[in-house]
Amino acid sequence: MAIKKILLASSLLIASSLAVPAFSANLVCQLNVKSGGQVMGNGTSSCNGIDFSFGSSTSGSWSITNITKSIDRIHWIKGCSSGLSCSVTVRAYSSNEAQAYIHYDDGSIEYVEADMWYETGY
């Protein structure tokens, strides 16, 4: 009987360590560089790109994706002012971050964040 209890306790510990988090929303970025440039990470939480336009900015967007529960509201700290997505101006050589709290109907709250980095010229 003691062996069964040890095996049951061990299996419960292993199962709890493999549990999938209850939250699954993502804050993703989309960076649009000028013609001839390259972007890495579009559709993830960390985008970076470079072009040779020698401008000071380009365009991009933030989107919250993979929401699996009903949303009460979204509190944007950085990035957008409202909604699930927005278009933004991405400044070269500076911090371009987005952060938001997703408040769900069931009372739970999820924090999401993402960043973009843009370089232009040498």
Side-chain angles (χ1 to χ4, degrees), residues 1-114:
M1 190 67 165
I3 301 263
K4 286 184 180 179
K5 286 183 180 179
I6 292 172
L7 288 174
L8 179 61
S10 297
S11 63
L12 288 173
L13 284 172
I14 291 169
S16 66
S17 68
L18 298 175
V20 177
F23 302 121
S24 63
N26 298 322
L27 179 54
V28 299
C29 48
Q30 180 77 31
L31 181 61
N32 306 311
V33 297
K34 309 280 187 337
S35 179
Q38 291 186 336
V39 175
M40 291 176 44
N42 274 349
T44 70
S45 63
S46 185
C47 300
N48 59 73
I50 186 168
D51 64 34
F52 299 101
S53 66
F54 300 99
S56 61
S57 64
T58 191
S59 64
S61 63
W62 304 111
S63 299
I64 298 176
T65 63
N66 297 327
I67 298 170
T68 59
K69 300 192 294 185
S70 298
I71 295 175
D72 177 41
R73 69 185 186 280
I74 297 175
H75 175 221
W76 286 94
I77 299 167
K78 293 180 181 177
C80 299
S81 58
S82 65
L84 290 174
S85 64
C86 65
S87 297
V88 293
T89 299
V90 181
R91 303 281 176 214
Y93 307 107
S94 63
S95 176
N96 296 278
E97 299 174 339
Q99 301 171 347
Y101 285 99
I102 306 168
H103 297 259
Y104 294 104
D105 285 341
D106 65 5
S108 60
I109 300 171
E110 182 176 9
Y111 174 77
V112 291
E113 64 183 335

